[in-house]
Amino acid sequence: MTEIRKQRLTVSLPVLVCVISIIGISSFWQYQYRQAAFEHVSKFCEIIMEDHMEAQEQVLSALKEYHMLEEQEVKGNQFLARYGYGRSELCKGIQWNFFIPSIVLVFLVNGGFLIAVWYLNKRNRMRIAELTSYLEQVNVGAAGTVIQTKEDEFSHLQDEMYKAVTSLYQTREAAVQAKVNFADNLANIAHQLKTPITAAFLSLQLMKSTAPNVYGKQIERQLERLNCLEESLLTLSKIDAGILHLEFSQVDIYTVLNLAAENLNDLLKKENISVDIPDHGCMEIYGDMEWIMEALMNLMKNCMEHSAHGGTIHCDYSSNPLYAEILIWDEGEGFQAEDIPHLFERFYRGKGAAGSGTGIGLSLARSIFELQNGNITARNLRSGGACFEIRIYTHRAVSAVPQKAAVHPPQIHDFEKNIYSH
């Protein structure tokens, strides 16, 4: 209730001051006018009586008669104008005697009011600056409080800010701890999987050498899938925990694309799929060669799984002062529209998912690029096929890197224009 009363007082005080000023000034003007008019009439009567003592009774009688007149009988009277007299000749000095004190009074009242308003605004600005500075310190992770010497209209806001900041700190700490716990659990699961997978591989090798079985290939394929899952989970746990080691250096885009394709050479030959990588000369990005190659392999593998036998995976790249861009696309049917917003979510497998993947590859690729000042998006080409678009930002544009991968609306790139032209 106290804060509400203060707010009402803050709003009503200026109005009240203005009303009081108007009433006071009007009363003062009326008093000054009557005083000046009385002085002039008194002096006029004094002159008549001093020069004509015998006319004293007539003058007093005329004053009584004047006093009894109504306002409408006096208003507009121009009797003296017949003899050449006007207001300026009869009321000399009455204007300034009446006007100057009024101006002084108006100046004092309004000056005092403006000073009071200026002081209140200055105090409010200082309080707002203190609270803003406090929030800026909170945003950069610094601790601190705003010391308040007395209650004011910002006290309640300050208390609520402290409560909100305290709650956010607690929520952040809980979220960080939950993330650490999740990473630890994920790493433990990955390590626990390693032992039985290794033992199963050894047993399979022994079985193949001593008692070959038609189901051995199927078992080996599933064990390889489990082994890839274990390695991916371990990598994801390192990323979540912030302990994934990256060795940054200058990486040539053409070279890393070729290395990624070579590592998939056996799978590509099996499906009779080729990879087209044009040579645009030396274009370098700053990152970790091994992990960039790992991410590109995941993207190429995804394109391979959605390509027809004998198809081609296309790559292209370019650079500008802000970022380097890498494009990888296939000639398949493209993504399902409802799958595009979820492609980079962990363990997500859309309706058009192919192969025996676990839904980790694209999520892992996105995390790897985000750790190296980059992002990745996915879209369908107008001519058909799915396209991955990677952008690695330069050091000058690090602040412009989006924190989350977004889905871009369909755009026409140069390579698409070339497709259309043919």
Side-chain angles (χ1 to χ4, degrees):
M1 291 300 293
T2 304
E3 293 298 327
I4 296 176
R5 289 176 181 174
K6 287 183 178 180
Q7 292 177 1
R8 289 177 179 174
L9 182 61
T10 303
V11 174
S12 60
L13 183 59
V15 178
L16 182 61
V17 169
C18 289
V19 170
I20 292 175
S21 299
I22 293 172
I23 294 174
I25 293 170
S26 299
S27 300
F28 180 75
W29 283 354
Q30 186 180 27
Y31 168 78
Q32 288 283 12
Y33 174 76
R34 288 179 175 178
Q35 179 67 22
F38 173 78
E39 291 173 354
H40 282 75
V41 172
S42 177
K43 185 63 177 177
F44 179 74
C45 293
E46 180 184 358
I47 292 173
I48 293 176
M49 291 181 182
E50 286 181 353
D51 293 341
H52 305 280
M53 295 298 295
E54 69 281 1
Q56 182 175 359
E57 292 183 4
Q58 288 84 349
V59 173
L60 294 176
S61 176
L63 286 174
K64 289 181 181 180
E65 185 178 351
Y66 168 77
H67 183 69
M68 298 297 294
L69 291 175
E70 298 292 338
E71 183 180 352
Q72 58 269 23
E73 297 181 64
V74 179
K75 188 175 181 180
N77 189 285
Q78 301 291 327
F79 176 77
L80 293 178
R82 301 176 186 177
Y83 303 96
Y85 291 98
R87 289 170 292 181
S88 59
E89 287 83 4
L90 295 179
C91 299
K92 295 179 179 179
I94 189 172
Q95 295 88 346
W96 289 109
N97 291 337
F98 164 64
F99 186 68
I100 292 177
S102 302
I103 291 297
V104 172
L105 181 60
V106 170
F107 178 78
L108 292 176
V109 171
N110 288 281
F113 176 69
L114 291 175
I115 291 173
V117 171
W118 173 81
Y119 173 76
L120 291 174
N121 287 336
K122 180 181 179 181
R123 189 191 66 177
N124 291 341
R125 286 196 301 269
M126 290 177 63
R127 289 287 285 135
I128 292 173
E130 289 177 352
L131 296 176
T132 303
S133 176
Y134 168 69
L135 289 178
E136 290 174 349
Q137 292 177 5
V138 172
N139 287 333
V140 298
T145 57
V146 179
I147 300 176
Q148 187 175 358
T149 57
K150 60 181 180 179
E151 294 290 324
D152 59 11
E153 58 271 20
F154 291 94
S155 299
H156 183 65
L157 174 62
Q158 181 174 314
D159 292 341
E160 293 301 320
M161 285 175 56
Y162 285 158
K163 293 177 184 178
V165 169
T166 302
S167 177
L168 289 174
Y169 269 125
Q170 294 174 350
T171 303
R172 185 184 67 177
E173 291 174 358
V176 171
Q177 188 59 44
K179 185 176 181 180
V180 172
N181 293 337
F182 175 77
D184 291 341
N185 292 334
L186 202 59
N188 290 334
I189 293 172
H191 283 298
Q192 292 297 325
L193 286 173
K194 190 71 174 179
T195 301
I197 290 174
T198 303
F201 264 120
L202 292 175
S203 299
L204 179 63
Q205 294 298 325
L206 182 61
M207 183 183 71
K208 288 171 66 176
S209 61
T210 57
N213 192 294
V214 293
Y215 300 105
K217 282 289 184 182
Q218 298 179 9
I219 297 174
E220 184 177 12
R221 187 162 53 250
Q222 295 301 323
L223 286 176
E224 289 175 351
R225 182 184 176 189
L226 281 174
N227 190 53
C228 291
L229 176 61
E230 182 272 334
E231 292 177 355
S232 298
L233 289 175
L234 191 59
T235 302
L236 288 175
S237 67
K238 291 179 179 179
I239 293 175
D240 290 338
I243 59 173
L244 184 66
H245 180 65
L246 297 176
E247 294 183 357
F248 285 87
S249 61
Q250 295 296 331
V251 178
D252 180 64
I253 299 177
Y254 178 76
T255 300
V256 74
L257 283 171
N258 277 279
L259 289 174
E262 288 177 7
N263 277 275
L264 295 174
N265 192 46
D266 292 341
L267 293 175
L268 293 171
K269 283 184 177 180
K270 183 178 179 181
E271 300 295 333
N272 193 25
I273 294 176
S274 61
V275 180
D276 177 33
I277 306 175
D279 187 357
H280 296 317
C282 181
M283 292 186 191
E284 293 184 335
I285 54 179
Y286 190 68
D288 186 295
M289 167 76 82
E290 295 296 327
W291 284 111
I292 291 176
M293 182 178 64
E294 179 75 20
L296 293 175
M297 286 172 57
N298 287 336
L299 300 180
M300 289 182 181
K301 186 177 179 182
N302 185 276
C303 290
M304 181 190 68
E305 292 173 348
H306 292 82
S307 296
H309 188 79
T312 302
I313 299 173
H314 301 273
C315 301
D316 201 359
Y317 57 94
S318 60
S319 64
N320 58 52
L322 294 180
Y323 56 83
E325 184 178 66
I326 303 173
L327 300 174
I328 301 175
W329 71 96
D330 58 48
E331 300 173 344
E333 297 180 356
F335 302 113
Q336 297 291 330
E338 60 269 26
D339 291 338
I340 292 179
H342 309 285
L343 286 174
F344 299 101
E345 296 177 3
R346 293 182 183 181
F347 306 106
Y348 179 81
R349 287 178 58 80
K351 293 182 179 180
S356 58
T358 58
I360 296 180
L362 295 183
S363 174
L364 184 60
R366 182 186 68 173
S367 298
I368 290 172
F369 285 123
E370 287 181 349
L371 288 174
Q372 301 176 80
N373 300 327
N375 67 2
I376 179 173
T377 57
R379 56 191 173 86
N380 289 323
L381 301 178
R382 291 187 178 183
S383 58
C387 177
F388 294 104
E389 180 179 325
I390 305 111
R391 289 182 178 180
I392 308 294
Y393 291 82
T394 64
H395 293 291
R396 293 188 298 273
V398 169
S399 59
V401 179
Q403 295 301 314
K404 295 293 183 182
V407 179
H408 285 185
Q411 303 173 8
I412 299 179
H413 285 262
D414 291 338
F415 75 89
E416 289 186 65
K417 293 178 181 178
N418 294 334
I419 292 174
Y420 302 147
S421 63
H422 292 295

